Amino acid sequence: MTTATYPFTAVVGMADMRLALLLNAVSPAVGGVLVRGEKGTAKSTAVRALAALLPPVGVVPGCRFSCDPAAPDPGCPDGPHEPGTGTARPARMVELPVGASEDRLVGALDIERALADGVKAFEPGLLADAHRGVLYVDEVNLLHDHLIDLLLDAAAMGASYVEREGVSVRHAARFLLVGTMNPEEGELRPQLLDRFGLTVEVTASRDTEERVEVVRRRLAYDEDPAGFAGRWAEDEGSLRERIAAARALLPEVVLGDRALRQIAAVCAAFEVDGMRADIVTARTATALAAWAGRTDVRTEDVRRAALLSLPHRRRRAPFDAPGLDEDKLDEVLRRFEDEEPEPPEPDGGPGSEEGDADGDGDGPDGGPEGPDGPGGPEGGPGGGLPHDRAQEPQSPSEPEPSVPGPREGKAEAEAADDTGTPQEAGGGAGAGGGEKAAVGAAEPFRTRRLDVPGLGEGAAGRRSRARTAHGRTTGARRPRATLSSLHLTATVRAAAPHQHARGRSGPGLLVRRDDLREAVREGREGNLVLFVVDASGSMAARKRMGAIKGAVLSLLLDAYQRRDKVGLITFRGTDADLALPPTSSVDAAAARLERLPTGGRTPLAAGLLKAREVLRVERLRDPSRRPLLVVVTDGRATEARREGTARRDAVNAPVARAGQAARLLAGDGIASVVVDCESGPVRLGLAGALARELRGTPVTLDELRADRVTALVRDVRNVSTTRRAA
């Protein structure tokens, strides 16, 4: 039994997202939409609801690649097709799972038949299914790099190529790309981000009545999906008709010289890269005019188009969230106010009122039971999206945390001297003892590459050596599953001795499945980089914390570029705190680092033991991802001295406990780097001693800079035999 899709017109709130999706339905040339939002905001339900509103597609009967009967693809693998009458089918919404294989995306070619019989036996993939439809990627920021590369190629060329050792198949692949993502789980590669025409931010509504309506509609849908959809069928039909009318009007819309100048001025003012932003903004403004039932593009169309198409394209500092300064946008557009006035509004017609672009005018905003739909408000095409999760308002009630641009760290009062004598206020009484306000990070810099030794098999990335699906070929082996990368030389070598026994009489090579060999490739993987940062009073001494935060921020930027997961542990006072559990959201780690206060004593052992526990749990969750521990400290270890305890014991005991914790980590085979933050004319060398206990690599803040050394770090030495074997 099939379950009815949740109606698009029953969605509550989220006008920006609804508008962006509808504009792409009117004009697929806009280039798709990326929906960014916190977990539990029902982004996926809204996108899936769009499929039912798309006009039917005419296709050549029997063609697996959805060729247009009016202009069939001359290179179609199922062709050639003669132009003629086709059949109509509903537009497809094809979903690409995050864990999909390359063959599932682009299709599979039977290598054995291709070599033995010369036959191109090709099974189409998801790109073929999505041709002339919608390709939807949920959690698109978690998509593997090699799949992103394939999507970029297909989006740029409008075609998909499958090549296996000289055997090639090509088919058309033009689709509307729609993605959803939670920024907390990591950002999207800039190349793919730019391929989305529009982007919108969604957050859960804080309005009580709106949240009540969301729950009411969702419960009604879960109880009777077909009946609920039936109650919204009339509104769905009205919205479908409006989309068709806007599509028909679109070729008649005139993008005047004034609107073009406005678009160019706005894009230049926000320093966007390239010309794609100008083109997408122009197409979006044109679609907005058609959606409003007009044939001219006005200033309000340009403004709304810029808010949708530019936030993810503007130049910004590392880890800054996308966004656009609306005051600056209005200032740029005001330069054109003294020119000729806008033409008067037409009477009647869809979208003749200014609010129509938001679904508030003459569009199908009323539900089956009146203007507000069944049971509550917001029943229009942009109506609310009930889901088992909460809904988004149009703007978050609180701004998304972001890291301010690079700046020099502020001075802090000295909390310890360079001889290691504790001077922290509060005597280590809790994490708040002697706490200092957070200081800003110094300007980030390009860092040395810190690798995990050995050869891994983790997630594709750009840090440590690993066996991967892509990279340089290092050998051959029998296929473990479906053959995806043929090693031609090894295959021929395996088949050659059996040609006489197989009765070969012609020029062709007789190949059997047992002869096939797949290529073993070596590339790079992403790692789990766990930062353990000393935030005690000794680190605040000599005004060092700004430089230290700048160094960690630089390492975080490097982790982002190398596709790592990151975690952040801080220790100060009497204990250690997991400030950020391991995540792909490097910008979240940067935000936590920016707000990090300092002060108190130095429980180094607690920080190391916390790191060991976090890595133990992560090893169970993701055993293939190898960890790299980065300890940022001056090596000092102090704690509150009990009454009557000798000073020597009070100083030595914390250092000894830190050494014991370090040896436990070394025994687990954890690759580590100790960033030595000690400064001043007198140095104790405690960080170097800690690195030896960890069997890791010590580096100073100066040595961390890539421009200060002649060679990059290739591996982390002196790691246990167990870890080397892994």
Side-chain angles (χ1 to χ4, degrees):
M1 185 181 73
T2 58
T3 301
T5 303
Y6 192 90
F8 191 88
T9 48
V11 175
V12 178
M14 300 186 296
D16 284 345
M17 181 181 69
R18 291 183 279 112
L19 177 63
L21 292 171
L22 290 171
L23 291 177
N24 276 277
V26 171
S27 176
V30 167
V33 58
L34 174 66
V35 183
R36 295 165 45 95
E38 61 193 24
K39 55 184 178 292
T41 47
K43 305 178 292 293
S44 302
T45 302
V47 174
R48 293 186 180 106
L50 177 69
L53 302 176
L54 300 177
V57 176
V59 297
V60 173
C63 178
R64 297 175 296 167
F65 302 89
S66 303
C67 281
D68 187 348
D73 180 11
C76 176
D78 284 354
H81 305 299
E82 293 294 332
T85 304
T87 59
R89 62 159 176 78
R92 289 175 178 166
M93 172 81 74
V94 178
E95 293 195 36
L96 171 61
V98 170
S101 65
E102 180 178 333
D103 286 347
R104 185 70 186 98
L105 178 62
V106 300
L109 188 63
D110 192 328
I111 301 297
E112 185 178 3
R113 291 189 63 190
L115 290 177
D117 305 328
V119 176
K120 293 182 180 179
F122 181 69
E123 183 66 28
L126 295 177
L127 290 180
D129 293 341
H131 179 48
R132 303 177 65 207
V134 178
L135 181 63
Y136 170 50
V137 189
D138 192 14
E139 306 295 350
V140 63
N141 52 322
L142 302 182
L143 203 62
H144 290 304
D145 276 1
H146 69 283
L147 297 182
I148 289 180
D149 293 337
L150 293 171
L151 277 180
L152 289 174
D153 290 342
M157 298 184 294
S160 174
Y161 291 85
V162 183
E163 304 206 15
R164 298 285 190 275
E165 302 296 340
V167 181
S168 176
V169 174
R170 173 213 167 272
H171 65 83
R174 291 182 295 276
F175 48 82
L176 184 66
L177 185 60
V178 179
T180 54
M181 61 173 282
N182 178 5
E184 294 179 357
E185 296 173 341
E187 285 293 342
L188 198 60
R189 274 177 55 181
Q191 295 92 333
L192 184 57
L193 185 64
D194 189 51
R195 285 293 173 183
F196 287 98
L198 310 178
T199 184
V200 291
E201 298 277 344
V202 292
T203 56
S205 173
R206 302 296 185 263
D207 180 75
T208 301
E209 293 302 319
E210 190 168 296
R211 295 175 75 101
V212 167
E213 183 60 24
V214 168
V215 176
R216 180 183 290 120
R217 294 189 187 182
R218 181 66 204 192
L219 293 178
Y221 171 76
D222 290 342
E223 182 178 349
D224 182 11
F228 184 85
R231 292 196 292 274
W232 292 91
E234 182 178 348
D235 295 292
E236 292 281 287
S238 299
L239 184 56
R240 196 176 295 111
E241 292 175 1
R242 183 176 176 186
I243 292 173
R247 276 196 172 192
L249 183 63
L250 187 64
E252 302 177 20
V253 176
V254 177
L255 184 65
D257 186 68
R258 179 188 182 190
L260 277 173
R261 291 180 178 275
Q262 288 177 321
I263 292 169
V266 167
C267 292
F270 285 99
E271 299 181 336
V272 297
D273 293 324
M275 295 299 298
R276 183 176 283 117
D278 302 65
I279 296 171
V280 171
T281 305
R283 289 172 174 168
T284 306
T286 303
L288 279 164
W291 179 247
R294 291 184 272 102
T295 58
D296 61 299
V297 176
R298 302 180 180 175
T299 299
E300 61 263 28
D301 299 326
V302 174
R303 185 183 190 278
R304 195 64 182 272
L307 290 174
L308 293 172
S309 63
L310 297 187
H312 60 303
R313 292 188 169 92
R314 68 175 180 83
R315 292 182 182 177
R316 49 195 173 100
F319 309 125
D320 279 355
L324 209 64
D325 185 343
E326 295 193 34
D327 292 336
K328 182 177 179 179
L329 174 61
D330 292 335
E331 181 182 348
V332 174
L333 292 176
R334 273 197 295 269
R335 301 173 190 171
F336 299 87
E337 287 183 352
D338 295 334
E339 298 184 14
E340 68 275 5
E342 298 279 7
E345 294 273 1
D347 293 332
S352 60
E353 296 183 18
E354 184 175 350
D356 274 9
D358 295 325
D360 297 329
D362 294 336
D365 292 340
E369 298 178 10
D372 294 332
E378 297 263 340
L385 181 61
H387 197 278
D388 53 345
R389 302 175 288 180
Q391 296 300 311
E392 307 90 331
Q394 299 316 305
S395 60
S397 59
E398 297 179 2
E400 180 178 342
S402 62
V403 179
R407 59 186 181 276
E408 295 297 329
K410 298 178 182 178
E412 279 204 19
E414 294 184 12
D417 58 30
D418 281 335
T419 64
T421 304
Q423 302 290 339
E424 296 92 335
E435 179 175 312
K436 304 292 190 299
V439 297
E443 184 175 353
F445 51 84
R446 189 168 64 91
T447 67
R448 300 162 58 172
R449 188 177 69 215
L450 307 173
D451 292 356
V452 177
L455 194 62
E457 293 186 354
R462 299 176 182 175
R463 183 173 295 280
S464 304
R465 293 175 55 220
R467 295 185 182 94
T468 59
H470 302 273
R472 62 186 182 91
T473 301
T474 59
R477 67 187 176 192
R478 292 181 181 273
R480 296 179 176 178
T482 303
L483 179 65
S484 59
S485 179
L486 179 74
H487 194 295
L488 182 59
T489 303
T491 299
V492 171
R493 203 161 38 227
H498 308 291
Q499 298 306 296
H500 180 72
R502 293 173 183 173
R504 173 186 170 188
S505 58
L509 186 69
L510 298 181
V511 180
R512 300 289 183 262
R513 184 167 296 277
D514 289 343
D515 302 329
L516 299 178
R517 299 291 184 271
E518 67 178 2
V520 177
R521 303 183 187 277
E522 181 179 313
R524 293 202 172 270
E525 67 178 358
N527 297 109
L528 166 60
V529 182
L530 181 61
F531 293 91
V532 180
V533 180
D534 185 346
S536 66
S538 65
M539 295 288 282
R542 306 296 181 192
K543 308 174 184 179
R544 285 179 288 169
M545 203 60 201
I548 292 166
K549 282 189 175 183
V552 179
L553 188 64
S554 303
L555 289 167
L556 285 170
L557 180 58
D558 182 69
Y560 168 72
Q561 294 169 342
R562 299 191 187 281
R563 311 298 289 174
D564 294 319
K565 287 179 69 174
V566 298
L568 178 63
I569 292 173
T570 63
F571 59 93
R572 54 182 293 272
T574 61
D575 204 358
D577 175 53
L578 180 59
L580 183 72
T583 175
S584 296
S585 181
V586 179
D587 54 339
R592 303 289 174 88
L593 176 72
E594 183 72 16
R595 298 192 297 267
L596 177 65
T598 60
R601 294 186 175 270
T602 314
L604 177 56
L608 297 176
L609 291 175
K610 173 70 77 173
R612 186 176 186 235
E613 176 61 21
V614 170
L615 293 177
R616 184 190 66 81
V617 174
E618 283 302 307
R619 190 180 296 115
L620 297 175
R621 291 177 177 172
D622 191 358
S624 64
R625 189 182 289 268
R626 298 186 295 163
L628 175 63
L629 182 67
V630 179
V631 184
V632 184
T633 182
D634 56 9
R636 293 169 180 165
T638 60
E639 61 183 20
R641 188 167 69 246
R642 297 182 181 88
E643 186 176 353
T645 303
R647 176 179 176 82
R648 179 180 297 275
D649 292 339
V651 173
N652 292 342
V655 175
R657 279 192 284 274
Q660 292 172 355
R663 288 190 291 274
L664 289 174
L665 284 163
D668 292 339
I670 304 299
S672 60
V673 174
V674 178
V675 180
D676 185 356
C677 302
E678 195 173 30
S679 63
V682 179
R683 304 196 181 197
L684 303 180
L686 296 176
L690 177 65
R692 289 191 293 273
E693 297 282 10
L694 286 167
R695 301 179 195 169
T697 301
V699 294
T700 65
L701 287 176
D702 285 341
E703 291 171 345
L704 196 61
R705 293 178 177 268
D707 55 0
R708 298 289 180 89
V709 294
T710 58
L712 298 178
V713 175
R714 294 299 181 184
D715 53 39
V716 181
R717 300 177 177 84
N718 302 321
V719 182
S720 69
T721 305
T722 302
R723 195 60 190 173
R724 288 182 187 277

